[in-house]
Amino acid sequence: MRVVVKVGSAVLTQDGNIALDRMRSLVEFLSELKQEHEVILVSSGAVAGGYTELKLDRNNIANKQALAAIGQPILMNKYANKFAKYEILTAQVLVTAANLNTPSDIKRVRATVETLLKNSVLPIVNENDATATDELELGDNDQLSAYIAKDMQADMLVILSDIDAYYDSDPRKNPEAKAFKTVNKISEEELHKEVTPNNVFATGGIVTKLKAAEYLLQANIDTFLASGFDLSDVKSFMLEGSHKGGTLFTCKG
Ligand SMILES: Nc1ncnc2c1ncn2[C@@H]1O[C@H](COP(=O)(O)OP(=O)(O)O)[C@@H](O)[C@H]1O
Ligand SMILES: N[C@@H](CCC(=O)OP(=O)(O)O)C(=O)O
């Protein structure tokens, strides 16, 4: 199986710093996953990583792009060091919308990624925020990870978030909210919900995760949404084949 794993800014940062313990747990999990599957990581956190070093006003687009330029190598350096402990070589793949536009653009990115995977290297993908012409052209990394999953011909997308599942209403506002275990269909109404990200560096909230899952449902690719804080559900699902927590978006069954 080829698996794309997406991790959000909220998971990778804590109290204005990169959350090293969480990153360590993530790297440990991905190293295990990589023993059984081909793995592509889509990691957010460039802007948040930049902000740990330089407190520029994040409401200004040029500042945000500059923060991403500062933060991206910091993030990659941390990943490279942590994966080296498992003797895994990492590679940075930065893309903009233009790289995923036409079949021949996509083919070129895929050739790079295929070569990395064939050589057992872990591709770490992010948007090239520093040079994107519109503000974060692709919108956010939930949707970027869905494009990557489809364009790189992956079998599955895993989204690791600051929330452990998709609920019938925002669990931070409604303590009675119930988690969905499996979702086969996403309605238009759900795709147009209010956007309520839970972190200053996060972008899309649950809506962009639903859009990503919907895009992949159309392509017959499953999406599994689980917590990036506590990896026990994603480990059970991906390593032991046991669905305990987390939401599976699938057209099968
Ligand atoms: N129905 C819902 N189910 C789950 N989370 C929801 C729902 N509605 C709103 N949310 C919010 O979406 C947040 C996840 O999005 P976001 O903060 O952008 O995370 P990330 O940084 O992982 O991309 C949750 O923490 C939660 O506050
Ligand atoms: N490319 C940006 C991604 C921002 C973003 O989409 O964040 P998130 O909603 O936490 O996945 C970055 O690396 O900061």
PDB file of all heavy atoms in Angstrom, residues 240-252:
ATOM      1  N   GLU A 240      -2.362  -2.466  13.150  1.00  0.00           N
ATOM      2  CA  GLU A 240      -2.977  -3.713  13.638  1.00  0.00           C
ATOM      3  C   GLU A 240      -4.280  -4.050  12.920  1.00  0.00           C
ATOM      4  O   GLU A 240      -4.891  -5.085  13.207  1.00  0.00           O
ATOM      5  CB  GLU A 240      -3.257  -3.593  15.148  1.00  0.00           C
ATOM      6  CG  GLU A 240      -1.989  -3.521  15.993  1.00  0.00           C
ATOM      7  CD  GLU A 240      -2.201  -2.782  17.301  1.00  0.00           C
ATOM      8  OE1 GLU A 240      -3.365  -2.676  17.757  1.00  0.00           O
ATOM      9  OE2 GLU A 240      -1.214  -2.287  17.853  1.00  0.00           O
ATOM     10  N   GLY A 241      -4.735  -3.161  12.056  1.00  0.00           N
ATOM     11  CA  GLY A 241      -5.976  -3.412  11.315  1.00  0.00           C
ATOM     12  C   GLY A 241      -7.205  -3.404  12.196  1.00  0.00           C
ATOM     13  O   GLY A 241      -8.210  -4.059  11.890  1.00  0.00           O
ATOM     14  N   SER A 242      -7.148  -2.666  13.317  1.00  0.00           N
ATOM     15  CA  SER A 242      -8.291  -2.647  14.229  1.00  0.00           C
ATOM     16  C   SER A 242      -8.813  -1.212  14.378  1.00  0.00           C
ATOM     17  O   SER A 242      -8.068  -0.315  14.796  1.00  0.00           O
ATOM     18  CB  SER A 242      -7.819  -3.248  15.563  1.00  0.00           C
ATOM     19  OG  SER A 242      -8.526  -2.713  16.623  1.00  0.00           O
ATOM     20  N   HIS A 243     -10.076  -1.031  13.999  1.00  0.00           N
ATOM     21  CA  HIS A 243     -10.657   0.324  14.008  1.00  0.00           C
ATOM     22  C   HIS A 243     -11.277   0.633  15.370  1.00  0.00           C
ATOM     23  O   HIS A 243     -12.423   0.304  15.619  1.00  0.00           O
ATOM     24  CB  HIS A 243     -11.695   0.428  12.887  1.00  0.00           C
ATOM     25  CG  HIS A 243     -12.207   1.820  12.672  1.00  0.00           C
ATOM     26  ND1 HIS A 243     -13.076   2.134  11.665  1.00  0.00           N
ATOM     27  CD2 HIS A 243     -11.981   2.987  13.319  1.00  0.00           C
ATOM     28  CE1 HIS A 243     -13.355   3.432  11.714  1.00  0.00           C
ATOM     29  NE2 HIS A 243     -12.695   3.961  12.718  1.00  0.00           N
ATOM     30  N   LYS A 244     -10.500   1.281  16.247  1.00  0.00           N
ATOM     31  CA  LYS A 244     -11.009   1.604  17.598  1.00  0.00           C
ATOM     32  C   LYS A 244     -11.582   3.017  17.617  1.00  0.00           C
ATOM     33  O   LYS A 244     -12.741   3.215  17.876  1.00  0.00           O
ATOM     34  CB  LYS A 244      -9.887   1.437  18.610  1.00  0.00           C
ATOM     35  CG  LYS A 244      -9.495  -0.032  18.771  1.00  0.00           C
ATOM     36  CD  LYS A 244      -8.412  -0.221  19.803  1.00  0.00           C
ATOM     37  CE  LYS A 244      -8.129  -1.710  19.979  1.00  0.00           C
ATOM     38  NZ  LYS A 244      -6.748  -1.982  20.368  1.00  0.00           N
ATOM     39  N   GLY A 245     -10.762   4.001  17.344  1.00  0.00           N
ATOM     40  CA  GLY A 245     -11.235   5.394  17.277  1.00  0.00           C
ATOM     41  C   GLY A 245     -10.836   5.976  15.936  1.00  0.00           C
ATOM     42  O   GLY A 245     -10.184   5.311  15.140  1.00  0.00           O
ATOM     43  N   GLY A 246     -11.228   7.250  15.708  1.00  0.00           N
ATOM     44  CA  GLY A 246     -10.919   7.886  14.426  1.00  0.00           C
ATOM     45  C   GLY A 246     -12.058   7.634  13.441  1.00  0.00           C
ATOM     46  O   GLY A 246     -12.864   6.720  13.632  1.00  0.00           O
ATOM     47  N   THR A 247     -12.120   8.478  12.406  1.00  0.00           N
ATOM     48  CA  THR A 247     -13.189   8.354  11.399  1.00  0.00           C
ATOM     49  C   THR A 247     -12.614   7.880  10.069  1.00  0.00           C
ATOM     50  O   THR A 247     -11.661   8.470   9.563  1.00  0.00           O
ATOM     51  CB  THR A 247     -13.885   9.720  11.192  1.00  0.00           C
ATOM     52  OG1 THR A 247     -14.368  10.184  12.449  1.00  0.00           O
ATOM     53  CG2 THR A 247     -15.037   9.617  10.200  1.00  0.00           C
ATOM     54  N   LEU A 248     -13.234   6.849   9.529  1.00  0.00           N
ATOM     55  CA  LEU A 248     -12.843   6.368   8.201  1.00  0.00           C
ATOM     56  C   LEU A 248     -13.865   6.872   7.185  1.00  0.00           C
ATOM     57  O   LEU A 248     -15.058   6.599   7.306  1.00  0.00           O
ATOM     58  CB  LEU A 248     -12.783   4.840   8.179  1.00  0.00           C
ATOM     59  CG  LEU A 248     -12.449   4.219   6.820  1.00  0.00           C
ATOM     60  CD1 LEU A 248     -11.022   4.573   6.380  1.00  0.00           C
ATOM     61  CD2 LEU A 248     -12.617   2.701   6.860  1.00  0.00           C
ATOM     62  N   PHE A 249     -13.387   7.615   6.196  1.00  0.00           N
ATOM     63  CA  PHE A 249     -14.228   8.052   5.074  1.00  0.00           C
ATOM     64  C   PHE A 249     -13.968   7.061   3.941  1.00  0.00           C
ATOM     65  O   PHE A 249     -12.834   6.973   3.449  1.00  0.00           O
ATOM     66  CB  PHE A 249     -13.838   9.455   4.627  1.00  0.00           C
ATOM     67  CG  PHE A 249     -14.041  10.517   5.688  1.00  0.00           C
ATOM     68  CD1 PHE A 249     -13.041  10.790   6.620  1.00  0.00           C
ATOM     69  CD2 PHE A 249     -15.223  11.233   5.770  1.00  0.00           C
ATOM     70  CE1 PHE A 249     -13.214  11.770   7.597  1.00  0.00           C
ATOM     71  CE2 PHE A 249     -15.413  12.216   6.737  1.00  0.00           C
ATOM     72  CZ  PHE A 249     -14.409  12.478   7.656  1.00  0.00           C
ATOM     73  N   THR A 250     -14.993   6.328   3.561  1.00  0.00           N
ATOM     74  CA  THR A 250     -14.769   5.292   2.549  1.00  0.00           C
ATOM     75  C   THR A 250     -16.024   5.072   1.711  1.00  0.00           C
ATOM     76  O   THR A 250     -17.139   5.227   2.204  1.00  0.00           O
ATOM     77  CB  THR A 250     -14.359   3.961   3.229  1.00  0.00           C
ATOM     78  OG1 THR A 250     -14.141   2.975   2.227  1.00  0.00           O
ATOM     79  CG2 THR A 250     -15.396   3.451   4.223  1.00  0.00           C
ATOM     80  N   CYS A 251     -15.837   4.691   0.452  1.00  0.00           N
ATOM     81  CA  CYS A 251     -17.035   4.349  -0.334  1.00  0.00           C
ATOM     82  C   CYS A 251     -17.283   2.857  -0.265  1.00  0.00           C
ATOM     83  O   CYS A 251     -18.288   2.372  -0.757  1.00  0.00           O
ATOM     84  CB  CYS A 251     -16.958   4.850  -1.765  1.00  0.00           C
ATOM     85  SG  CYS A 251     -15.376   5.073  -2.424  1.00  0.00           S
ATOM     86  N   LYS A 252     -16.356   2.132   0.362  1.00  0.00           N
ATOM     87  CA  LYS A 252     -16.557   0.682   0.475  1.00  0.00           C
ATOM     88  C   LYS A 252     -17.433   0.381   1.690  1.00  0.00           C
ATOM     89  O   LYS A 252     -17.256   0.997   2.741  1.00  0.00           O
ATOM     90  CB  LYS A 252     -15.204  -0.028   0.629  1.00  0.00           C
ATOM     91  CG  LYS A 252     -14.328   0.116  -0.602  1.00  0.00           C
ATOM     92  CD  LYS A 252     -12.840   0.197  -0.234  1.00  0.00           C
ATOM     93  CE  LYS A 252     -12.092   1.049  -1.241  1.00  0.00           C
ATOM     94  NZ  LYS A 252     -11.008   1.815  -0.677  1.00  0.00           N
TER      95      LYS A 252
END
